[in-house]
Amino acid sequence: KKGFTTKEFVNTKLMTRATYTLSGIDGTLTKGPDGLIFKEKGGIDYAPSTVQLPGGERVPFLFNIKELVAYFNTDDIGAGTEMGGLFRTPSYRTGLFLDPKGRGGTTGYDMAVALPGMA
């Protein structure tokens, strides 16, 4: 149906090389009434990448925890501790975005063939 979306997990293949690690994340960890609360403040908190869907279509994917507010259901952190929360996903797909073949809206190279297309 037009305009109808569904949420489902899809097996994908990561096409971007070694650019999907989040590191140096910092924030505050406080004790709330129901457990610990972590609020992300900075660090390398996003990693744009490209994934390949079943059928071969390649799409942008933003792996991030920007402005994460995570809630723990425990008062301590140890092996197997789980958390969950909300975060913001900013848009990064601009004309400067390059896919794994170097194609982009502002580069003048937008086709994966031997000769560039005439725009």
Side-chain angles (χ1 to χ4, degrees), residues 36-81:
L36 298 173
I37 302 170
F38 175 75
K39 292 183 181 179
E40 186 266 339
K41 298 295 181 191
I44 300 176
D45 55 7
Y46 69 97
S49 59
T50 301
V51 296
Q52 183 171 309
L53 301 173
E57 180 185 5
R58 292 181 178 180
V59 296
F61 180 81
L62 187 61
F63 178 48
N64 85 96
I65 60 167
K66 225 172 217 346
E67 298 177 11
L68 171 70
V69 177
Y71 299 92
F72 298 78
N73 59 1
T74 181
D75 288 335
D76 58 354
I77 299 175
T81 301

Side-chain angles (χ1 to χ4, degrees), residues 90-101:
S91 172
Y92 76 97
R93 183 79 188 249
T94 68
L96 297 175
F97 176 82
L98 297 177
D99 73 2
K101 293 186 181 288

Side-chain angles (χ1 to χ4, degrees), residues 6-12 53-54:
T6 60
K7 295 179 183 180
E8 64 180 281
F9 288 100
V10 177
N11 289 328
T12 62
L53 301 173

